Amino acid sequence: MPDFSLSPEQESLRDLARKFARTEMAPHAAECDRTARFPEEIYRKAFELGLMNLNVPTEYGGSGLGVLDQCLIVEELAYACGGMTTSIIANCLALEPILLGGTPEQKERFLKPFCADYQFASFALTEPSGGSDAGALRTRARREGDHYVLDGEKCFITNAPHASLYTVFATVDPALRHKGVTAFVVPRTTEGVTPGKDEEKMGHRASSTGTVRFDGARVPAANRLGGEGDGFSLAMRTLDQTRTPIGSLATGIAQAALDHAAAYALKRHSFGKPIAEHQAIQIKLANMAQSIHAARLLTWHAAWKIDRGERGTLESSIAKCFASDAALHVADEALQTFGGYGYMKEYPVEKLLRDAKLTQIYEGANEIQRSVIARELLRSYE
Ligand code: CAA
């Protein structure tokens, strides 16, 4: 029989994240959303509490947490603000290729100084000409002696305008498709590296998203992760790890939407009684609760599998896809429960709907997740 109980350490991690989310993040969520402010003071506190480099082993200065532990934290943070959570956990995505593909020397050289201070790293895979077809990326890496010269542009990169380090996926030969993709660790200070401006976004407005250009950026060959052509599988293995916490991020948004809707339904009256007593509203709340419960269990299961050292490609795509679809639907139903008030910016649910939407798109659009799920599934029938 599976055991769904959490250890005392996991309970205290969740309590820590909940307290931080509700006291430090939530009070500023609406203002940061309205003004698209990147709240450095909150991110700095998150770093000081060990909430930023969650997946990095303690020997390199991170928190050394497994994926389930990360999920518990991420759901709590996202309950307060999806956008802030995206920025807080983006280092996990950017540093994972170093954890998976870096030599002991590279981990020592990159992770230790990075984790010693408050700073951001960005995962630079997506390009203006395509995001879903990662094997078709065009940023070039040309070998020149003991360096590579990088040319190209990345877009939709979380925290790019603020990052001090980029993990960059470039190709040594586009004709090789995914077999040419190669990963590099590129410090922002490298000549020829130019982060662009913050994008104006529909949701996750406390987070920062931008482009980064590489114009003849000379990167030491010693900064290459793995061999030439290893980058694609490194990116995929990274996403296998990080898509599950995105499922938790979506679950946190959905839980916040349900809590707002239920509280409102108990106090709002129509036809002489609280709307919570109308069956139409009860059905909504019941369906929302079911979706959230299923999303949480799917993310926990995927995390459990990955933490056991098993490949969680199928489970992480299922968790990310289901939880993000659920979040959008739950937020929509919460808004509908609020009626006209839900559509007003004065109330919190329209933000949740906008924030939920991105979870269906980033870290692989849900169409890609379904393609991954189908491929994994069909393999077992061959
Ligand atoms: N683990 C290890 N290896 C894997 C793998 C995995 N999960 N998935 C694929 N591979 C390997 C395959 O085994 C294959 O290896 P061989 O060459 O040895 O046979 C190779 O990679 C190519 O695999 P596919 O044939 O499956 O590749 P594909 O070109 O058909 O594409 C895809 C697969 C799943 C669609 C992939 O392109 C993909 O995931 N795209 C989405 C990219 C994505 O998620 N982007 C999000 C960016 S991050 C972000 O959004 C965050 C932010 O900062 C905003």
Side-chain angles (χ1 to χ4, degrees), residues 132 134 156 158 178-179 232 236 240 243 311 363-364 375:
S132 291
F156 306 148
T158 300
H178 71 270
K179 290 184 192 303
F232 189 81
M236 295 299 112
D240 282 352
R243 282 175 179 156
R311 180 171 162 164
E363 296 221 16
R375 283 190 208 184

Side-chain angles (χ1 to χ4, degrees), residues 23-335:
T23 59
E24 304 289 344
M25 294 166 66
H28 304 281
E31 174 258 315
C32 289
D33 176 60
R34 195 172 57 251
T35 58
R37 185 172 73 83
F38 189 77
E40 296 261 14
E41 75 288 1
I42 295 174
Y43 300 148
R44 186 177 289 279
K45 281 185 194 160
F47 167 75
E48 284 160 5
L49 278 176
L51 296 174
M52 253 167 77
N53 301 314
L54 298 172
N55 54 344
V56 178
T58 48
E59 60 186 296
Y60 299 116
S63 301
L65 298 179
V67 180
L68 180 56
D69 297 343
Q70 294 174 46
C71 286
L72 298 172
I73 290 171
V74 169
E75 184 182 328
E76 292 303 327
L77 301 183
Y79 185 91
C81 182
M84 290 183 200
T85 308
T86 288
S87 273
I88 290 171
I89 65 169
N91 282 0
C92 300
L93 174 65
L95 301 177
E96 189 66 37
I98 305 177
L99 294 171
L100 290 173
T103 61
E105 181 276 324
Q106 286 174 323
K107 289 179 189 171
E108 193 75 20
R109 182 155 55 94
F110 295 124
L111 297 174
K112 260 199 182 159
F114 182 86
C115 294
D117 294 316
Y118 159 74
Q119 49 191 325
F120 292 101
S122 291
F123 181 81
L125 177 68
T126 305
E127 301 189 348
S129 58
S132 291
D133 187 2
L137 59 82
R138 292 184 189 170
T139 296
R140 288 299 298 267
R142 287 186 191 79
R143 180 100 194 208
E144 274 185 14
D146 56 0
H147 281 72
Y148 284 84
V149 179
L150 265 53
D151 286 284
E153 188 179 18
K154 300 288 178 178
C155 71
F156 306 148
I157 307 302
T158 300
N159 292 344
H162 302 268
S164 56
L165 200 71
Y166 301 94
T167 40
V168 181
F169 296 84
T171 179
V172 291
D173 181 357
L176 295 175
R177 281 204 39 104
H178 71 270
K179 290 184 192 303
V181 176
T182 307
F184 299 91
V185 180
V186 183
R188 181 198 186 105
T189 48
T190 307
E191 204 175 320
V193 174
T194 316
K197 67 167 179 56
D198 260 339
E199 301 286 357
E200 183 75 27
K201 300 191 297 296
M202 169 182 169
H204 290 242
R205 289 168 56 77
S207 175
S208 164
T209 308
T211 54
V212 52
R213 283 200 56 79
F214 303 95
D215 297 296
R218 285 176 62 77
V219 179
N223 288 17
R224 192 187 66 206
L225 297 172
E228 288 189 0
D230 288 347
F232 189 81
S233 111
L234 206 48
M236 295 299 112
R237 285 162 55 215
T238 293
L239 292 163
D240 282 352
Q241 300 280 324
T242 57
R243 282 175 179 156
T244 304
I246 296 300
S248 296
L249 195 154
T251 307
I253 293 173
Q255 186 66 58
L258 173 60
D259 289 356
H260 283 302
Y264 182 79
L266 285 167
K267 67 174 202 274
R268 172 79 174 171
H269 284 67
S270 75
F271 303 99
K273 56 185 179 184
I275 62 170
E277 289 180 23
H278 295 305
Q279 212 174 35
I281 299 299
Q282 289 181 355
I283 291 169
K284 278 189 199 308
L285 297 175
N287 286 342
M288 291 156 82
Q290 288 181 67
S291 299
I292 293 167
H293 193 55
R296 184 173 296 120
L297 292 181
L298 285 170
T299 55
W300 282 25
H301 176 251
W304 168 83
K305 193 160 182 204
I306 297 166
D307 284 341
R308 282 160 57 98
E310 294 178 39
R311 180 171 162 164
T313 306
L314 173 72
E315 291 77 8
S316 57
S317 280
I318 290 177
K320 189 272 188 194
C321 187
F322 183 92
S324 56
D325 284 351
L328 189 74
H329 183 63
V330 167
D332 189 23
E333 288 291 80
L335 194 153

